[in-house]
Amino acid sequence: MPLHHRDTVREEIESCIFASIELENELPKYRFPEAETRPDVAFQVVHDELLLDGNARQNLATFCQTWEEPQVHALMDMAIDKNLIDQDEYPQSAEIERRCVHMLADLWNAPDAANTVGTSAIGSSEAAMLAGMAALRRWRNKRKAEGKTIVQPNMVCGPVQVVWHKFARYWDVEIREIPMGPNQYCLTPEDVTARVDENTIFVVPTLGVTYTGIYEPVEALSQELDALQERTGLDIDIHVDGASGGFLAPFCAPDVQFDFRLPRVKSINASGHKFGLAPLGSGWVIWRDAKELPEELIFHVNYLGGDMPDFHINFSRPAGQIIAQYYNFIRLGRGGYRSIHDACYETGAYLAGEIPNLGPFELLASSDAATGIPAVTWRIAEGQEPGYTLFDLADRLRNRGWQVPAYTLTGGASDVAVQRVLVRQGVDRDLASLLLDDFKAAIDHFAKHPVSVGMTKEESGGFSHL
Ligand SMILES: *Cc1c(COP(=O)(O)O)cnc(C)c1O
């Protein structure tokens, strides 16, 4: 967070961050320097600061892309001055965005993919907000048309990513999040139908739950909601948070029906910068058909020339990652995506095969294309006390640059600590075997130097899921 503690800033305000023969003047950290600095010197300063960041390729916590083809770098450079909002000035970038929307609508089996609506966003978070706003508006319009009162709206979901908590709080929607149970890590259709009512704007299953990578059962949920409608008349929409799975299942598990093949699914979001393989800053939301996005949410802007339909939270935003996304689509095709992701599942399966042999570990979820994303999640088997925690293990692996997060689950499972590796493009078999070597070394180390056990969540520090 760029919200520094002001007292700290004041104390450090004069301190110099760099000095060299070229740099005679001090460069203060927290206020503007008085004079200019030579570009090569300023570059060196910034470059050196960044040495302290982690090495992205060894970050096995993130779902986001950390490797791109050289052609993507070239396109990103070319696009640095292109503003995606300005469709009048950059009509071809806008056309490329539209093509991506229809390609995704087709990938997700929209009944009329060439005519449906959707948009790029800066990530799944913005995309999810847009989908949520559309659902809220549809619900309001329906209530008004029926002459019913508009009271506190709600949404129902399993253990969701933080974006849905944000959506609920920012737009004042009650979130009915089904808590995890001791051995239940995602929603069940019955949990959902027990919680919906006439003020439910939608149900949000996740394709690739953040904590475990597991796919929530969208098809079974849809059937259960069909049965509910028959019984009670309640007609509840589904929005699928396919941040990861939206770019995995269509290629690697096409029989998983999570998409517009189910008429109840009205919108889907996915992160282009996760398994869509685009560089950071790419997300998508697609509606089943144009009528699911209430027209009054779309602004028409004329001050950039021409008529520009705009339904985003951001206005100006970079076009590069969308152009790179299109490059990926045409460069890889379905076959290319399938082989890259299949390789990730294989590497995941390899890790899932090895990790339980290294210590008293028990897998919670592992890398199977029909049931989840290429991730391996494990815990210390119940009743085992190896003399270290998963937080210690995470810490020890960090010494070698690996970021393998340990964190606790939520709800009724919040006493369970787990550790997770996310396998994505660039986390290949070789890198995975190097990780396992360091994993073994860490466990050998703990055998010789036992550490304190029973660390609390607070002591271990939180962990962010990206
Ligand atoms: C990553 C993720 C998000 C947020 O997506 P961003 O692209 O990081 O904004 C939302 N939901 C799920 C399930 C995710 O995995």
Side-chain angles (χ1 to χ4, degrees):
M1 289 284 275
L3 303 171
H4 303 283
H5 194 280
R6 269 167 306 190
D7 287 338
T8 320
V9 174
R10 232 173 278 131
E11 274 164 31
E12 293 182 21
I13 209 154
E14 300 302 332
S15 48
C16 171
I17 54 170
F18 194 77
S20 75
I21 299 164
E22 296 84 13
L23 186 65
E24 284 166 354
N25 301 326
E26 283 192 344
L27 266 186
K29 273 186 197 153
Y30 294 111
R31 59 176 171 78
F32 278 80
E34 285 308 319
E36 290 182 38
T37 302
R38 267 177 32 198
D40 55 332
V41 175
F43 176 85
Q44 192 66 45
V45 170
V46 179
H47 171 274
D48 290 1
E49 285 267 329
L50 295 177
L51 290 174
L52 294 185
D53 273 346
N55 171 13
R57 292 285 299 283
Q58 284 182 288
N59 178 359
L60 303 179
T62 187
F63 295 62
C64 295
Q65 281 308 301
T66 52
W67 184 84
E68 296 290 347
E69 289 183 327
Q71 286 80 0
V72 168
H73 290 262
L75 287 169
M76 290 293 282
D77 198 22
M78 233 183 76
I80 197 165
D81 54 1
K82 293 185 193 293
N83 186 350
L84 199 57
I85 203 71
D86 194 346
Q87 302 182 10
D88 202 53
E89 177 66 8
Y90 309 109
Q92 214 51 35
S93 297
E95 165 62 14
I96 282 174
E97 183 197 14
R98 273 193 294 276
R99 286 183 200 165
C100 290
V101 164
H102 295 298
M103 289 166 95
L104 284 172
D106 178 58
L107 185 72
W108 295 335
N109 297 296
D112 187 11
N115 293 308
T116 190
V117 289
T119 181
S120 70
I122 215 72
S124 270
S125 302
E126 187 192 5
M129 290 286 168
L130 300 177
M133 286 154 66
L136 185 57
R137 185 59 64 135
R138 286 200 305 270
W139 169 80
R140 276 205 190 121
N141 291 349
K142 189 167 115 186
R143 299 285 296 174
K144 267 192 217 153
E146 292 169 350
K148 292 184 177 152
T149 49
I150 291 165
V151 290
Q152 173 71 58
N154 69 71
M155 62 175 282
V156 180
C157 56
V160 276
Q161 208 263 1
V162 67
V163 63
W164 295 107
H165 293 276
K166 290 186 192 170
F167 167 73
R169 199 173 301 169
Y170 295 170
W171 270 267
D172 199 17
V173 171
E174 180 198 347
I175 184 165
R176 299 182 178 169
E177 187 177 15
I178 298 155
M180 279 188 188
N183 277 307
Q184 191 200 322
Y185 306 122
C186 67
L187 62 74
T188 68
E190 298 72 26
D191 288 334
V192 172
T193 47
R195 286 169 176 79
V196 298
D197 58 33
E198 58 177 12
N199 297 317
T200 302
I201 62 168
F202 58 6
V203 172
V204 181
T206 303
L207 219 59
V209 173
T210 309
Y211 296 92
T212 56
I214 293 171
Y215 287 166
E216 291 189 311
V218 185
E219 189 181 7
L221 172 64
S222 177
Q223 286 163 356
E224 190 72 17
L225 289 170
D226 289 347
L228 178 83
Q229 185 173 3
E230 255 167 49
R231 279 200 314 277
T232 65
L234 272 183
D235 182 7
I236 309 277
D237 291 347
I238 294 177
H239 168 82
V240 177
D241 181 354
S244 300
F247 276 110
L248 286 162
F251 305 117
C252 303
D255 294 337
V256 174
Q257 297 226 21
F258 73 93
D259 57 9
F260 299 123
R261 282 171 287 183
L262 305 170
R264 203 169 281 284
V265 173
K266 302 299 192 236
S267 48
I268 302 173
N269 72 269
S271 296
H273 53 219
K274 292 183 178 174
F275 291 90
L277 307 181
L280 280 168
S282 165
W284 300 95
V285 53
I286 311 286
W287 284 271
R288 171 181 195 77
D289 52 53
K291 76 174 194 322
E292 306 298 344
L293 174 57
E295 172 64 28
E296 68 266 29
L297 292 178
I298 301 169
F299 289 82
H300 294 269
V301 177
N302 64 8
Y303 31 77
L304 296 175
D307 169 59
M308 269 157 234
D310 172 30
F311 180 43
H312 299 104
I313 293 177
N314 301 72
F315 191 64
S316 297
R317 64 208 162 94
Q321 48 273 54
I322 303 309
I323 292 168
Q325 179 82 85
Y326 182 65
Y327 164 82
N328 283 325
F329 285 1
I330 59 165
R331 147 93 177 91
L332 296 170
R334 287 176 187 250
Y337 271 98
R338 189 177 308 122
S339 52
I340 288 171
H341 295 338
D342 277 349
C344 293
Y345 279 111
E346 275 168 34
T347 303
Y350 162 65
L351 286 170
E354 297 293 321
I355 288 170
N357 301 329
L358 301 180
F361 305 126
E362 188 180 282
L363 298 178
L364 259 77
S366 72
S367 204
D368 176 289
T371 57
I373 70 175
V376 189
T377 313
W378 64 94
R379 59 172 291 177
I380 291 177
E382 223 166 336
Q384 296 281 339
E385 286 195 6
Y388 56 87
T389 67
L390 293 180
F391 299 98
D392 297 322
L393 191 52
D395 225 32
R396 187 80 200 154
L397 288 171
R398 195 71 185 248
N399 284 347
R400 292 278 294 162
W402 300 107
Q403 195 165 347
V404 185
Y407 51 94
T408 52
L409 299 177
T410 67
S414 57
D415 59 331
V416 179
V418 300
Q419 200 166 15
R420 183 192 66 200
V421 167
L422 219 118
V423 185
R424 57 178 189 279
Q425 174 174 237
V427 181
D428 59 11
R429 180 73 176 241
D430 183 45
L431 210 58
S433 77
L434 296 175
L435 169 71
L436 287 175
D437 291 345
D438 286 333
F439 205 127
K440 281 180 208 134
I443 286 168
D444 291 346
H445 172 87
F446 290 133
K448 289 191 209 100
H449 312 281
V451 284
S452 60
V453 287
M455 196 188 269
T456 65
K457 191 177 172 186
E458 286 69 36
E459 285 165 335
S460 66
F463 205 93
S464 65
H465 304 276
L466 296 173

